[in-house]
């Protein structure tokens, strides 16, 4: 097929989003034994996965389970921390660029379990050299916060807290097996976090959920205006891993994003059109340093915990539990890498483009360094088509999605990373 034909065939297919690869089987031929080597990566980030939640939202694609009893929670934390300590011992010269604790919902742990996790993370971090822009972050939900957990985050030195809201419309949430939290309650938690010194709060919202419309989005914007988080992230619903693949049309998704975008800009947030992260401070791109370096430089990261992903310039790996997660896995004494893929340069480049699509742009110099050849030449045909059709714009080093291109951003970016057939 020609590039225009491929583009047309993917335009309305929801599988083309920021997920890459589309199916783990696509990388089967690159699978190797053993863990991904990090000996040559001095500067990297850590990601810690806590796969527990108080409730299981039906729209969620992440590896997660209902929070188990305290004994199993503690055993899980011990194993993750012991994996981090071992990695640290084996890589004594590493410099940490980011450190995110995500999930799941880390704050679904008990007060004691969460304090234990935060204390252990503080200790692990204490001996490590960090970059100047190092900004660790922890994910949470409002309905699992407590005074004790907020204090534990503040005491650990973490200054960024990311909370899921998804939508302020409880009728929408309730149909998705998720409880809403009152505005006053949210304000109280945020005030407490800020007073404790957690200076940066991000709120996640989603669009594409059944029942969302222009009215519910106005309610979301009014909530943002009241709560005044420093950052906002907009996630378009992905359904690749879900049984229920119901999605609104691309036009509706585009209209919803556009409404959020214009509303957020009028509230003082900054982001180029097509980026899904917003911030009152344009320099931080609305994300933690871990995510920023992944989006901007294809920086390496090591994941700890069940199903966590790691990446460097040689490949990608997934810890146990990525494909099918059973409770018995919680009893493992180490959450090692189950699937390791040693990837050719064009696959590493593809993964980078898919990740950077969150910012609506990718860097040609980063791509050239991953490919070991000139990216503008390598992707000459794709670029000519996308520039000529006003789907992408040339911003020098950055190739940025246009408003027209954003309506079908998955189809646009996939031209650079999926075989054109
Ligand atoms: C791992 S969750 C952590 C937040 C926390 N567990 C909560 O739900 O409040 C990170 C974010 O991913 C987003 N998310 C979850 N399922 C998604 C999906 N199927 N497609 C796109 N984004 C999704 C939600 O906005 C969520 O807040
Ligand atoms: S959206 Fe958050 S709370 Fe809901 S299941 Fe996913 S990780 Fe858990």
């Amino acid at each position: 097929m020609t590039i225009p034909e491929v583009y047309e065939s993917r335009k309305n297919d929801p599988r083309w989003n920021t997920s890459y690869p589309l199916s783990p089987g696509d990388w089967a031929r690159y699978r190797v034994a053993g863990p991904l080597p990090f000996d040559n990566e001095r500067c990297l980030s850590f990601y810690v996965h806590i796969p527990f939640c108080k409730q299981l939202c039906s729209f969620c694609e992440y590896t997660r389970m209902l929070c188990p009893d305290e004994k199993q929670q503690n055993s899980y934390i011990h194993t993750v921390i012991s994996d981090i300590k071992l990695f640290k011992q084996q890589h004594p010269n590493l410099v940490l660029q980011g450190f995110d604790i995500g999930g799941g919902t880390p704050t679904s742990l008990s007060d004691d379990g969460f304090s234990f996790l935060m204390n252990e993370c503080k200790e692990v971090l204490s001996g490590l050299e960090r970059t100047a822009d190092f900004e660790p972050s922890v994910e949470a939900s409002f309905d699992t916060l407590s005074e004790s957990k907020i204090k534990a985050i503040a005491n650990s030195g973490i200054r960024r807290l990311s909370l899921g809201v998804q939508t302020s419309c409880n009728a929408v949430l309730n149909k998705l097996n998720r409880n809403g939290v009152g505005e006053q309650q949210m304000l109280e938690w945020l005030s407490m976090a800020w007073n404790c010194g957690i200076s940066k709060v991000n709120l996640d919202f989603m669009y594409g959920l059944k029942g969302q419309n222009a009215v519910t989005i106005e309610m979301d914007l009014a909530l943002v205006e009241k709560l005044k988080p420093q950052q906002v992230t907009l996630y378009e619903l992905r359904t690749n891993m879900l049984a229920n693949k119901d999605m609104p049309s691309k036009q509706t998704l585009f209209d919803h994003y556009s409404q959020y975008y214009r509303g957020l800009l009028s509230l003082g947030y900054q982001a180029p059109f097509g980026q899904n992260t917003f911030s009152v401070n344009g320099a931080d791109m609305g994300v933690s340093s871990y995510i920023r370096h992944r989006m901007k430089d294809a920086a390496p990261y090591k994941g700890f915990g069940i199903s966590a992903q790691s990446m460097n310039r040689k490949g990608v790996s997934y810890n146990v539990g990525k494909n099918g997660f059973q409770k018995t896995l919680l009893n493992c004494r180490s959450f090692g890498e189950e699937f390791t893929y040693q990837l050719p340069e064009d696959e590493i480049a593809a993964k980078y483009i898919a990740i950077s699509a969150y910012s609506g742009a990718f860097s040609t110099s980063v791509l050239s360094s991953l490919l070991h050849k000139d990216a503008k030449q390598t992707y000459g045909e794709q670029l000519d088509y996308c520039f000529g059709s006003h789907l992408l714009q040339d911003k020098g080093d950055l190739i940025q999605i246009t408003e027209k291109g954003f309506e079908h951003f998955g189809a646009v970016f996939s031209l650079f990373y999926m075989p054109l057939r």
Side-chain angles (χ1 to χ4, degrees):
M1 281 206 274
T2 63
I3 290 178
E5 282 168 354
V6 175
Y7 175 66
E8 286 301 321
S9 74
R10 291 181 186 169
K11 265 170 75 173
N12 294 308
D13 184 340
R15 289 177 307 151
W16 305 106
N17 49 46
T18 51
S19 312
Y20 191 79
L22 280 201
S23 137
D26 297 349
W27 278 351
R29 80 194 99 145
Y30 305 122
R31 191 160 172 207
V32 292
L36 206 60
F38 279 92
D39 304 334
N40 296 325
E41 313 276 4
R42 187 142 189 258
C43 211
L44 75 160
S45 294
F46 284 174
Y47 170 74
V48 177
H49 191 70
I50 307 293
F52 306 138
C53 291
K54 185 177 165 188
Q55 78 235 311
L56 300 184
C57 313
S58 59
F59 55 79
C60 181
E61 278 207 319
Y62 294 91
T63 305
R64 80 287 194 241
M65 60 177 285
L66 284 173
C67 198
D69 62 32
E70 286 207 38
K71 194 163 161 253
Q72 276 190 311
Q73 293 178 28
N74 289 337
S75 151
Y76 185 84
I77 301 167
H78 270 106
T79 305
V80 169
I81 296 294
S82 113
D83 284 345
I84 301 178
K85 286 183 176 164
L86 182 64
F87 184 86
K88 211 176 117 177
Q89 255 173 32
Q90 292 166 339
H91 303 82
N93 297 322
L94 67 87
V95 178
L96 217 55
Q97 213 168 27
F99 184 93
D100 275 21
I101 306 169
T105 312
T107 45
S108 66
L109 295 165
S110 67
D111 277 356
D112 286 349
F114 188 75
S115 288
F116 173 59
L117 173 69
M118 289 292 112
N119 283 334
E120 289 291 313
C121 287
K122 184 178 181 183
E123 200 197 308
V124 162
L125 291 179
S126 66
L128 282 173
E129 192 180 336
R130 305 157 211 194
T131 55
D133 67 345
F134 177 76
E135 188 179 39
S137 180
V138 61
E139 281 178 3
S141 64
F142 280 105
D143 66 336
T144 54
L145 277 180
S146 68
E147 188 172 343
S148 152
K149 287 172 193 167
I150 289 176
K151 288 189 171 148
I153 297 170
N155 288 338
S156 74
I158 294 181
R159 295 285 171 267
R160 183 179 184 275
L161 174 62
S162 179
L163 291 145
V165 177
Q166 322 316 348
T167 166
S168 48
C169 179
N170 286 343
V172 170
L173 286 178
N174 293 344
K175 289 200 178 106
L176 300 165
N177 199 36
R178 186 175 172 110
N179 291 324
V181 172
E183 192 178 292
Q184 194 49 37
Q185 180 66 73
M186 290 192 210
L187 255 178
E188 280 169 25
W189 289 134
L190 293 188
S191 303
M192 188 183 290
W194 284 318
N195 286 336
C196 286
I198 302 169
S199 46
K200 213 175 264 186
V201 167
N202 168 69
L203 297 185
D204 289 339
F205 288 85
M206 290 179 68
Y207 62 101
L209 299 173
K210 202 172 166 68
Q212 276 183 302
N213 54 41
V215 176
T216 66
I217 294 171
E218 273 320 303
M219 285 162 55
D220 294 341
L221 289 166
L223 183 68
V224 171
E225 187 172 15
K226 274 218 180 96
L227 299 183
K228 299 189 180 17
Q230 282 70 28
Q231 301 177 338
V232 173
T233 304
L234 295 181
Y235 285 96
E236 181 178 296
L237 175 69
R238 294 181 306 263
T239 56
N240 299 29
M241 315 268 283
L242 304 179
N244 180 354
K245 306 220 179 280
D246 283 353
M247 286 280 278
S249 70
K250 291 284 179 191
Q251 179 67 53
T252 303
L253 291 168
F254 179 82
D255 291 345
H256 286 181
Y257 173 87
S258 302
Q259 189 184 345
Y260 274 120
Y261 181 80
R262 299 193 204 297
L264 288 171
L265 257 60
S266 75
L267 293 174
Y269 294 89
Q270 300 177 44
F273 191 91
Q275 183 165 304
N276 77 340
T277 57
F278 296 76
S279 178
V280 288
N281 168 9
D284 67 18
M285 290 179 78
V287 289
S288 66
S289 55
Y290 158 67
I291 298 288
R292 190 164 58 248
H293 284 290
R294 280 182 66 182
M295 291 199 304
K296 279 182 72 171
D297 337 315
Y301 51 93
K302 169 74 185 167
F304 298 96
I306 280 174
S307 82
Q309 188 184 119
S310 304
M311 182 173 175
N312 64 18
R313 295 210 163 188
K314 299 268 177 261
V316 170
S317 72
Y318 301 93
N319 289 352
V320 290
K322 175 72 183 166
N323 284 355
F325 169 33
Q326 273 127 24
K327 217 174 161 185
T328 49
L329 268 184
L330 295 178
N331 304 323
C332 291
R333 300 286 26 113
S334 171
F335 303 122
E337 289 158 71
E338 186 177 16
F339 296 97
T340 304
Y341 301 99
Q342 200 173 58
L343 298 170
E345 288 156 350
D346 58 337
E347 286 294 327
I348 295 282
K351 183 81 183 156
Y352 160 68
I353 295 175
I355 294 167
S356 61
Y358 273 118
S359 66
F362 57 83
S363 149
T364 48
S365 59
V366 171
L367 258 189
S368 299
S369 85
L370 297 174
L371 290 165
H372 295 109
K373 57 187 175 194
D374 186 78
K376 282 195 170 169
Q377 242 174 20
T378 309
Y379 297 113
E381 281 183 56
Q382 285 91 333
L383 288 172
D384 283 349
Y385 171 69
C386 292
F387 291 153
S389 310
H390 308 289
L391 301 170
L392 289 173
Q393 49 195 325
D394 192 346
K395 296 258 179 176
D397 182 47
L398 272 192
I399 304 293
Q400 175 121 34
I401 198 94
T402 59
E403 283 210 29
K404 180 181 176 205
F406 185 67
E407 185 169 347
H408 301 288
F409 72 88
V412 174
F413 287 120
S414 75
L415 294 176
F416 295 81
Y417 58 70
M418 282 305 282
L420 301 170
R421 50 179 144 73

